Amino acid sequence: MRIPLSWLREYAQVPADASAEDIMADLVKVGLEEEDVHRPSDELSGPIVVGQVLSLEKEVASNGKTINWCQVRVVPEGTEQTLTGKGIDPTGVQGIVCGAHNFVEGDKVVVTLPGAVLPGDFKISPRKTYGHTSAGMIASSRELGIGDDHDGIIVLSNYGLDPEVGTDAFELFGLDDQAAEINVTPDRGYCFSIRGVAREYALATGTSFTDPTTTVVVSEASAAGHEVTLADAAPIYNVPGCSRFVTREVTGINPSLPTPRWMASRLQLAGMRSISLPVDISNYVMLELGAPLHFYDADKLTGGITVRRANAGEKLTTLDDKERELSTEDLLITDESGALGIAGVMGGASTEVWGTTSRVLIEAAHFDAVSIGRSRRRHKLPSEASKRFERGVDPHIMQVAAQRAVNLLVELAGGTETTNITDAGAQPADVQIQLPAGFAGALIGVDYTDEQTVAALEGIGASVEQNSAGFLVTAPSWRPDLAIKEDLVEEVARVVGYDKIPATLPVAPPGRGLTRAQSQRRRLLQGLADAGLTEILSYPFVSESQNNTFGAAQAGTQVKAISLANPISKEFRFLRTSLLPGLLETARRNIGRGFRDLALYEGGLVFLPGAQLGSSVLPPLGVKPSDEVLAELFNGVPNQPWHLAAVFTGNEASAAAGFAPRAWDWADALDAAHTVAEILGVELEVAQGNHQAFHPGRAATLKVAGEVVGYAGELHPQLLKDSDLPARTVAMELNAAALMEATPAVVVAPQLSTQPLATQDVALVVDQDVVAGDVLAALREGAGELLEDVALFDVYQGKGIEEGKKSLAFGLRFRATDRTLTADEASEARAAAVAVAADKFGATQR
């Protein structure tokens, strides 16, 4: 919002020598953000004065162009020229060549004399052109930076001006004014007006403030005005799109009259283009009071006005001459002929005020912020009106704003006021908030006195009544953001001064720290990093085929997944059900850049929707949802367990002279899974597995207490080929959330014995389809308490082994806690283990 200082001075006590920088420095004290300074004099310097054309001789130049050789008086007749400098004629009459033809002898114009500088660092000096020495320039509005018209020079009579010759054009056109630009946050919509900013300036400086609404006397109605019906049959969140609709009528206006220079200058400095007198008046009132208005050519209206939602397929040509297809959510202003405009956003072309308009109907309405915001975004149609309605407009000043527009149309456009007034709907009730005594100080940490609290709240426009519980505060009508006691505390802190709040760090309450789940996640991530893996973070967005491949063990399964309404990429529009797609994509990218030996891992959420996804129940704004509504919303949120996954490709170390590195294999993926389980103190059950993303026969299913929690092994060759990844790439993924739930409350460290170890090996011949892990479990079961560990170290098929059989070699480690084991004791335990394997799988010793 740009604030012309001359305008601000009308309602706040701004020092005469205050600059735009001074204004912004004061407004920052009350929480507004400074943006920029706009000062025409920064790009424009004089002498620039009013001149009168004494003579005009048309001459045809050699290039065929007709120019005007003009004699222009720039000082009053009979007065000496006081300016000096090269090109300044002491007689007060300048010879100037001008190419424009929209003026005649006797016209008063704007003359830039030698020594002046125009926007773009264009310096004016005497120069020879078309056979004459032109000492100055007769200026157009664009050349002065005060408008877009470059077709002709400024003829002051067209602006309704008749100043004395020699008058300084800076003051005449408001070029000596300046504007401070501030950023208005969404909760401070009232500052999109001179009224609102003047109030804030008075708060910041402790000076007086004059509310412009108090200077407008609203006429009493003498008859019913234009018929208006509010018929919102489909309110959004049960809030009517229009709560109040005021109309006023002015007859006999002359829309062709020029906009007064003072008004056009203020509008331009405020960032708005001067268009026509009626439009400029509408914009002027909006900027002054913060209430957007709309003017209709009353003679083009058919019947009464109805405010309603759009019908399916309805269309409207807006003021920008674009035909727009309307949504049934759009709130419209209509008459018997159809739609006249999108409420609060932009009017329609059919009732636009033109040069022939003589009777104007003024609309001053209050629209729902949500409804206006949705229409503005839907049609990509930002406007100054929608900007204000979206942030909340004072519903109590509709009559005042309409009356202000009536007064200006009468004063400047020659209109006649009628007192046929419509005021449909009702203004909302005042919002009252109970502020407990001492609550502001307790929340902010500053000991505010009752006097400070009352003064701050009354300063923002609230009325305060002290009672036994503290203060009963009636929020000002232009502050829809004030709804609860905490909002009032924020205002007290802002007005008294943020600099009064001490900068002290809160003391953390004792006995708190990371939750159990947070601690476990950190330990797991750190544990894999300590094991030599590199952590990565990938996007959770995947394709449908990736979810179907990694999200289900069996091929052909259609995995239920969450599809994004507005994805970054159309291909990757689903939320992941597995971490492996992101890990594999990261591995592929690194391999493509020359990094071939990789051990990557990631911890993150996956998204597993249940039977219900989302909810058709949307709670209204500003109302606490019921327990049933909250339950329905939470039921629609997908399950989001935390997973851990790892991918290994290439070698575990780089090749070097005399050293041949070992390639990562399925055992490394399984070891990573075991590392996770050991950190949590969980027993991980490993069995031969089958998953469509993994190599048949080289995959393990990972279980805890009989429940599948993940997979590990070598990835499927076809998958690796399609993904441009090396053969024999291995991976693992675990539902770490399930492992953490299975973690015992206290993880007991294993007892360490000082007794010596007894090692025994055994090679067992079993059928080819017997799973090695099952045989290992049988050995563990039979060996008894003396067995400390058992591990498979060799699998052999070939010469000496019967066809259809295989040899599994295990290393068994025995140890007693209280004594040294004898060879016989170790052998006896080994024999017991072999017996169980023989009983279960027909195993024979090799």
Side-chain angles (χ1 to χ4, degrees), residues 213 216-219 244-250 281-282 285-286 288-289 291-295 360-365 394 396-410 417-418 420-423:
T213 63
V216 178
V217 179
V218 178
S219 302
R244 193 176 181 199
F245 199 100
V246 172
T247 66
R248 294 292 303 274
E249 188 176 320
V250 178
I281 289 174
S282 172
V285 175
M286 177 182 65
E288 184 174 70
L289 302 181
L293 304 177
H294 188 72
F295 290 0
V360 168
L361 185 73
I362 301 169
E363 167 203 307
D394 186 354
H396 288 193
I397 63 166
M398 301 298 104
Q399 286 279 21
V400 173
Q403 183 67 53
R404 176 70 164 141
V406 167
N407 295 347
L408 289 172
L409 284 170
V410 170
E417 174 185 5
T418 70
N420 302 334
I421 300 175
T422 299
D423 192 349

Side-chain angles (χ1 to χ4, degrees), residues 508-575:
R512 295 186 181 178
L514 297 176
T515 65
R516 177 178 170 85
Q518 289 171 334
S519 178
Q520 289 174 323
R521 284 197 294 268
R522 290 195 179 191
R523 286 167 51 209
L524 292 176
L525 293 173
Q526 187 60 49
L528 289 177
D530 293 342
L533 282 75
T534 300
E535 184 179 8
I536 65 118
L537 291 174
S538 61
Y539 284 117
F541 314 122
V542 299
S543 67
E544 183 177 19
S545 63
Q546 286 174 325
N547 267 342
N548 288 337
T549 299
F550 292 95
Q554 300 301 319
T557 304
Q558 183 69 30
V559 175
K560 187 175 183 180
I562 299 171
S563 176
L564 299 175
N566 188 23
I568 296 176
S569 165
K570 185 176 181 181
E571 180 183 0
F572 302 104
R573 67 182 189 276
F574 292 91
L575 289 178

Side-chain angles (χ1 to χ4, degrees), residues 253-327:
I253 71 163
N254 182 358
S256 63
L257 288 174
T259 299
R261 195 59 245 166
W262 60 268
M263 178 179 284
S265 298
R266 282 186 175 177
L267 289 173
Q268 183 182 9
L269 199 53
M272 301 192 76
R273 183 168 57 93
S274 177
I275 299 174
S276 66
L277 181 55
V279 174
D280 290 349
I281 289 174
S282 172
N283 288 333
Y284 189 84
V285 175
M286 177 182 65
L287 290 174
E288 184 174 70
L289 302 181
L293 304 177
H294 188 72
F295 290 0
Y296 300 91
D297 186 328
D299 292 327
K300 296 178 181 177
L301 294 172
T302 305
I305 287 176
T306 300
V307 184
R308 60 168 173 82
R309 298 288 171 180
N311 299 319
E314 197 167 2
K315 295 182 180 180
L316 170 68
T317 300
T318 47
L319 287 172
D320 56 0
D321 291 327
K322 292 184 179 179
E323 185 179 70
R324 302 182 184 275
E325 187 158 344
L326 303 172
S327 163

